[in-house]
Amino acid sequence: MVRFLGRSWARSTSRLSSGLRARRGRDRPGRAHGRRTAQAPHRPPGRQGARKNGYPPASAGARSGLGGRSVAGQVFLLQVAIVLLLVVAAAGALVLQVRHDSTTEARNRSLAVAETFANAPGTREALSAPDPTAVLQPRAEAARVGSEVDFVVVMNTDGIRYTHPKPDRIGRKFVGTLGPALAGRSFTEEITGTLGPLVQAVVPIKADDGSVVGLVSAGITTENVGGAGERQLPLLLTAAAAALALALGGTALVSRRLLRQTHGLGPFEMTRMYEHHDAVLHAVREGVLIVGGEGRLLLANDEAHRLLDLPENAEGRHVLELGLDAGTGALLASGHVVTDEVRLVGDRLLAINQRPTDLKGGPAGSVATLRDSTELRALSGRAEVAREHLAFLYDAGVGIGTTLDVTRTAEELAEVAVPRFADFATVDLAEAVLSGEEPDAGTSLRRTAFSGIRKDAPLYPVGERIGFVASTPQAHSLGTGEAVVAPALREAHGWLAQDLERTAQVVEYGIHSLITVPLRAGHLVMGVANFWRSEKPEPFDEEELALAEELVARAAVSIDNARRYTREHTMAEALQRSLLPRNLPEQSALDISYRYLPAQAGVGGDWFDVLPLSGARVALVVGDVVGHGLHAAATMGRLRTAVHNFSALDLPPDELLGLLDELVGRIDQDEATEDGSAAITGATCLYAVYDPTTRQCAVARAGHPPPAVVRPDGGVDFPEVPAGPPLGVGGLPFETAELKLEEGSRLVLYTDGLVEDRERDIDVGLELLRTALTGADRSPEDTCQAVLDALLPPRPSDDIALIVAGTRALGADRIAAWRVPSEPAAVGEVRASVTRQLAEWDLDDLAFTTELILSELVTNAIRYGNGPIEVRMLLDRSLICEVFDGSNTSPHLRYAASTDEGGRGLFLVAQLTERWGTRYTPAGKVIWTEQPLP
């Protein structure tokens, strides 16, 4: 700025001062030029003057002539545009008026001609003549020619023409509206008829009694209506051209004179020339002084007047006579070169820069600039503080609320505040908030987070339950919802009353100031945040209190979001866990361990179950419902209940999955929205049934990952189980695969959350699972843990269900089977064989009831079933009796009447056994019973 002012005003000090005085006095530009000429020789802005000041030379303006860049050219173009606009507007208005008058005239003439012809003598009588056209056509044509209309048409009341200028149109239907004329009224209208667009009038021909016996229509086409106006256009255009020529000539003369006076400068250059001084001197926040060689003040801008408190008539007076202090006045009068010399003027620190104006032949004198460094320094300090506060709040917004965990969010608040805002920070929350519930009114909180520059501060530790007394700032904040600042804790008697021993230790430790801010979310006050100061000697002030409120307000939103999420997640997880098995049922076929891990982001629909079946068999089921949330958990519960019910029917795996597929389809139909679209539920499932007597495992799956089998030697296989469609798709059957498992094998079932995620393809996950499962001599529990250690991601995005089942076999010494002939005498042999077998198993106490049960079942099989018939007994956790036959008819329990001779067999069986039922096989059916062991 100093160099610019030195170069600019060194060449034209006198001209600048006189010009600015003219501008400040609201003089016209001409007067300003005159006064400037009196001070120094005037150099017009030609090649030597204007070009040096950044303006085009005068020759350039002269060459531009009446071009649009100069003032004269723009005035010329503006006047031409105005004249053209007026001429066009006048011509348009005249044409419209002429056309309007012509249309009105056409309406009036058409109506007059029609009424005259309708009331002419002989018109009415001609309508009743044998040939009305012969009488009326000559008259109508004569009337048309004499009245200068385009047609005169006579018609009957049905609109059939008797006359027309074009004879071939006679006898045809009239084009136009007849209703008003048939009602006895004359009217006119504008339509498009047989002659084109036209104006026509329709007049009734009335009889003596007033009835309408005919109609007359006369009209003029639009082409003839507008012809009058168009005939006047040449005269109008001639007059407009003459006016335009005169206007252009006068405008050219005026513009050429203006061009000579402005030297070809455009408005922008002229504005820059005459407003340049104000833009530099009065728009900047710096004082500018121009002092002549004799020490008189030639110019002082507004900022210089304000900074130096100069009188109104300061210009023209000597600098030493302006009331300045001696040092400042002497400096300005001396004209010495100084750079950023700071002087105390009144209550301000002014940085003064001064340069001479007599460089390169300019007039004697100096130019000085004044800058108020007092306000600048104060403003810089406040701006720096504001910037630090904004940066602090920005970092807090980024660092707080990174998780949906209440405790972690509170810890982030405390960590952000230390050490940038406070030396120690603590967060106390109501216990209900930690569990996701809304807090109750009260002052009992639990310290949730602590952060400090040191760890040995005698504040309440994390986890301690704190009951604040009513006089403390914390209790006041909890009760009123307002922040409190305690600038001097040593004198804060209400806070000291909280715990006399601990508060004394806090003060002795050096903590001297406190800000307490309530954590509010709407009407809820969830706790308080406390900020403590010890290192900085100044206490907290009101500005820092406002900053703390802003910080805590942002953190409170994150804590409330975490609280709400905790509540929703806890509810959903509780619902989901209530729908999953809490304890595995007792059975001897499999040694089972399992893991269930819910997703971190939300509750999903993964589920599993272990279902004991008849004949010592066990069913394993693993499923996954598409989606997350309560809907997925509820659907999972419905599917698990359905599997329980379907498994009681002892269905093969493929048939059970078919029933589940139909169930999911019905769920989709039931949950269809109002617009007819349904939210597809979708689910996958794997169902396996293991028989320890044969070591056969029947497996079927619906869109689910295949099972893994770990052989006793530690090798891992993924058996080929046909992959059916996901449940709910429908239309395709499911297939069952039969696996032969060695005793000591481990059958591994899992959901896709274990082997697949956003960063890992399922093939990679299956290979990792194979590696984790490989190895012999590991229990199912150890296998579960090894799999999770190898495959579990840090933050699972999907639920994970894992079952590892070690296979067992039921020994041959615990199985007894007999083939039974299809004759009644064989029942006695069966009873004898059963008695002997029970004696070997030391179950003589069950001999009587077992004989009775098998006698009834074998007798029914012989009487109602088909051969072959077999009996099998299994010694497991209970005594299992099974009777096989080749019939598909199922017996049912009924209550016999007192007079019935039979029908009580199954009733006795049901009374003597713990459970009984029927299952079907490809060759027939099995009636089975279970008796508890003594």
Side-chain angles (χ1 to χ4, degrees):
M1 173 62 73
V2 172
R3 295 194 204 97
F4 167 72
L5 292 174
R7 289 196 304 268
S8 178
W9 285 303
R11 293 191 297 267
S12 56
T13 303
S14 300
R15 182 175 59 190
L16 178 63
S17 61
S18 61
L20 282 176
R21 282 196 295 271
R23 296 291 294 167
R24 291 170 58 86
R26 299 295 186 262
D27 289 341
R28 292 176 297 176
R31 295 180 58 189
H33 276 292
R35 296 181 61 181
R36 181 169 54 194
T37 304
Q39 295 290 334
H42 173 63
R43 290 179 294 179
R47 293 185 179 273
Q48 302 301 323
R51 174 67 70 181
K52 291 183 179 181
N53 290 295
Y55 308 112
S59 58
R63 287 194 302 268
S64 64
L66 298 180
R69 292 184 55 84
S70 66
V71 174
Q74 293 186 7
V75 170
F76 175 78
L77 294 178
L78 177 60
Q79 291 189 5
V80 170
I82 293 174
V83 171
L84 286 175
L85 180 61
L86 292 177
V87 171
V88 172
L94 181 57
V95 170
L96 293 177
Q97 183 63 38
V98 170
R99 289 192 174 182
H100 176 268
D101 294 343
S102 300
T103 302
T104 303
E105 175 62 23
R107 286 177 174 268
N108 295 337
R109 186 190 303 175
S110 300
L111 182 60
V113 172
E115 288 181 345
T116 300
F117 195 89
N119 296 322
T123 301
R124 183 178 62 188
E125 289 77 6
L127 294 175
S128 59
D131 187 3
T133 300
V135 177
L136 295 174
Q137 176 69 5
R139 297 180 185 180
E141 286 301 296
R144 178 180 67 82
V145 174
S147 61
E148 297 183 355
V149 297
D150 290 320
F151 65 88
V152 176
V153 175
V154 183
M155 70 199 86
N156 61 15
T157 56
D158 294 329
I160 303 302
R161 301 188 186 98
Y162 291 140
T163 66
H164 196 277
K166 297 181 179 180
D168 59 334
R169 308 295 173 88
I170 297 175
R172 295 186 183 180
K173 183 74 172 182
F174 176 73
V175 179
T177 305
L178 302 179
L182 292 175
R185 293 184 290 105
S186 301
F187 74 98
T188 60
E189 62 179 346
E190 295 183 20
I191 65 168
T192 300
T194 58
L195 300 179
L198 50 84
V199 178
Q200 67 181 10
V202 182
V203 178
I205 302 174
K206 298 181 180 179
D208 294 336
D209 59 357
S211 62
V212 178
V213 297
L215 304 171
V216 177
S217 176
I220 303 176
T221 60
T222 303
E223 181 180 359
N224 293 332
V225 171
E230 295 174 357
R231 286 190 293 272
Q232 298 181 23
L233 280 178
L235 178 60
L236 175 63
L237 294 177
T238 301
L244 180 60
L246 292 175
L248 290 177
T251 302
L253 293 176
V254 173
S255 299
R256 189 171 297 277
R257 182 177 180 85
L258 182 60
L259 178 65
R260 289 195 301 269
Q261 292 181 350
T262 58
H263 299 282
L265 294 178
F268 177 72
E269 289 82 0
M270 294 183 66
T271 301
R272 284 186 58 192
M273 177 183 293
Y274 290 107
E275 299 297 333
H276 178 72
H277 304 143
D278 285 342
V280 174
L281 299 178
H282 300 291
V284 297
R285 294 288 295 174
E286 288 189 1
V288 178
L289 297 173
I290 298 179
V291 181
E294 68 282 4
R296 294 187 178 276
L297 180 63
L298 301 180
L299 172 68
N301 69 347
D302 295 340
E303 186 68 8
H305 275 269
R306 186 183 69 84
L307 294 177
L308 298 177
D309 195 18
L310 298 177
E312 291 294 333
N313 58 348
E315 282 85 352
R317 299 172 57 184
H318 199 279
V319 174
L320 299 178
E321 300 174 359
L322 300 179
L324 303 175
D325 64 277
T328 303
L331 175 62
L332 296 176
S334 66
H336 295 162
V337 176
V338 294
T339 300
D340 288 336
E341 181 173 332
V342 179
R343 288 185 173 272
L344 179 62
V345 179
D347 57 349
R348 300 178 182 276
L349 288 175
L350 300 183
I352 302 176
N353 290 274
Q354 188 167 260
R355 295 292 185 272
T357 60
D358 56 358
L359 299 177
K360 297 182 181 180
S366 63
V367 57
T369 61
L370 312 174
R371 186 174 66 254
D372 189 351
S373 60
T374 304
E375 296 181 1
L376 181 60
R377 292 181 181 179
L379 182 60
S380 299
R382 290 194 296 270
E384 181 64 22
V385 172
R387 188 195 64 80
E388 291 178 357
H389 287 178
L390 289 176
F392 173 62
L393 292 177
Y394 173 80
D395 293 342
V398 174
I400 299 175
T402 59
T403 67
L404 288 173
D405 181 80
V406 175
T407 301
R408 180 54 192 156
T409 305
E411 292 173 350
E412 290 172 344
L413 170 59
E415 292 169 359
V416 165
V418 176
R420 296 175 64 178
F421 180 71
D423 298 320
F424 300 93
T426 58
V427 180
D428 307 324
L429 297 176
E431 292 191 11
V433 175
L434 298 174
S435 59
E437 302 298 328
E438 293 187 359
D440 299 327
T443 57
S444 180
L445 305 176
R446 185 173 296 278
R447 178 135 298 173
T448 308
F450 168 84
S451 180
I453 57 176
R454 293 185 297 275
K455 301 298 183 182
D456 58 345
L459 299 171
Y460 287 115
V462 173
E464 183 165 343
R465 186 183 181 89
I466 308 172
F468 292 104
V469 299
S471 60
T472 59
Q474 290 85 351
H476 179 78
S477 294
L478 291 173
T480 63
E482 298 177 352
V484 178
V485 58
L489 291 179
R490 189 180 299 274
E491 302 173 1
H493 301 289
W495 174 77
L496 292 172
Q498 169 67 27
D499 184 343
L500 296 179
E501 181 179 357
R502 184 177 293 274
T503 54
Q505 293 175 356
V506 170
V507 173
E508 184 66 24
Y509 186 80
I511 298 176
H512 59 82
S513 187
L514 164 68
I515 288 180
T516 296
V517 184
L519 286 157
R520 297 185 56 185
H523 66 282
L524 296 179
V525 179
M526 300 175 290
V528 293
N530 307 295
F531 305 99
W532 315 80
R533 175 170 287 176
S534 62
E535 296 295 321
K536 188 177 181 179
E538 295 82 5
F540 286 117
D541 55 22
E542 294 297 327
E543 184 176 353
E544 291 170 319
L545 177 64
L547 178 61
E549 289 179 319
E550 179 68 20
L551 171 65
V552 174
R554 299 189 181 193
V557 175
S558 299
I559 291 177
D560 186 55
N561 289 339
R563 178 191 68 83
R564 293 172 182 271
Y565 172 80
T566 301
R567 180 184 61 186
E568 300 295 336
H569 187 74
T570 301
M571 292 173 57
E573 189 173 341
L575 171 62
Q576 186 182 32
R577 290 193 178 277
S578 68
L579 297 175
L580 292 172
R582 299 185 180 182
N583 297 304
L584 297 182
E586 295 182 357
Q587 46 82 33
S588 303
L590 298 170
D591 180 15
I592 297 177
S593 292
Y594 68 92
R595 294 289 190 277
Y596 176 77
L597 300 175
Q600 294 290 333
V603 175
D606 290 14
W607 56 286
F608 68 93
D609 220 331
V610 179
L611 306 172
L613 302 178
S614 62
R617 297 172 304 132
V618 177
L620 300 177
V621 58
V622 176
D624 183 5
V625 177
V626 176
H628 293 82
L630 293 178
H631 175 74
T635 304
M636 175 267 289
R638 298 170 71 175
L639 293 181
R640 179 170 177 258
T641 302
V643 171
H644 268 266
N645 295 331
F646 294 153
S647 65
L649 302 176
D650 267 329
L651 298 174
D654 56 338
E655 295 184 17
L656 186 141
L657 291 182
L659 295 177
L660 281 181
D661 182 62
E662 295 180 3
L663 174 63
V664 174
R666 288 195 298 271
I667 291 176
D668 286 338
Q669 294 177 1
D670 295 341
E671 296 181 355
T673 58
E674 294 182 357
D675 59 0
S677 63
I680 301 301
T681 300
T684 65
C685 184
L686 186 147
Y687 188 81
V689 178
Y690 175 71
D691 189 346
T693 63
T694 62
R695 292 184 284 108
Q696 289 289 125
C697 183
V699 184
R701 62 189 179 112
H704 202 82
V709 176
V710 184
R711 299 188 301 273
D713 60 1
V716 179
D717 297 323
F718 289 95
E720 292 291 337
V721 179
L727 300 178
V729 175
L732 296 176
F734 301 96
E735 299 182 36
T736 299
E738 295 288 343
L739 308 179
K740 187 73 171 182
L741 302 180
E742 302 178 45
E743 185 176 5
S745 300
R746 282 164 286 167
L747 181 64
V748 181
L749 309 181
Y750 52 91
T751 57
D752 59 356
L754 179 68
V755 295
E756 184 179 17
D757 59 21
R758 297 174 181 175
E759 301 178 356
R760 183 174 61 200
D761 187 71
I762 188 171
D763 294 335
V764 177
L766 290 177
E767 192 60 34
L768 292 175
L769 178 62
R770 181 193 299 273
T771 303
L773 291 174
T774 301
D777 299 330
R778 280 198 299 193
S779 67
E781 180 66 25
D782 294 338
T783 303
C784 281
Q785 191 60 45
V787 169
L788 292 183
D789 292 342
L791 278 83
L792 185 65
R795 288 182 56 84
S797 60
D798 194 6
D799 292 6
I800 295 175
L802 173 65
I803 297 179
V804 178
T807 60
R808 299 170 180 167
L810 194 63
D813 59 339
R814 290 175 171 268
I815 304 175
W818 303 276
R819 178 69 65 99
V820 179
S822 296
E823 56 185 25
V827 177
E829 297 178 2
V830 171
R831 287 199 299 266
S833 299
V834 168
T835 301
R836 288 192 300 270
Q837 185 64 50
L838 291 178
E840 293 181 8
W841 288 344
D842 294 329
L843 296 176
D844 297 306
D845 294 342
L846 298 179
F848 176 76
T849 56
T850 305
E851 288 180 7
L852 183 60
I853 291 170
L854 287 177
S855 295
E856 179 61 33
L857 296 180
V858 172
T859 300
N860 286 342
I862 295 173
R863 180 177 301 176
Y864 303 109
N866 300 324
I869 301 173
E870 295 183 4
V871 174
R872 189 173 73 164
M873 287 199 310
L874 305 176
L875 180 58
D876 194 35
R877 292 180 178 270
S878 61
L879 179 61
I880 301 172
C881 298
E882 298 177 335
V883 177
F884 300 79
D885 69 77
S887 172
N888 288 326
T889 59
S890 176
H892 62 278
L893 182 66
R894 69 184 183 90
Y895 296 93
S898 59
T899 58
D900 291 344
E901 295 183 359
R904 296 179 178 85
L906 287 180
F907 179 77
L908 292 176
V909 171
Q911 295 298 315
L912 295 175
T913 61
E914 186 175 45
R915 292 195 309 155
W916 76 280
T918 304
R919 75 172 182 268
Y920 294 93
T921 66
K925 68 177 183 296
V926 179
I927 309 299
W928 57 269
T929 64
E930 290 185 5
Q931 298 170 256
L933 298 178

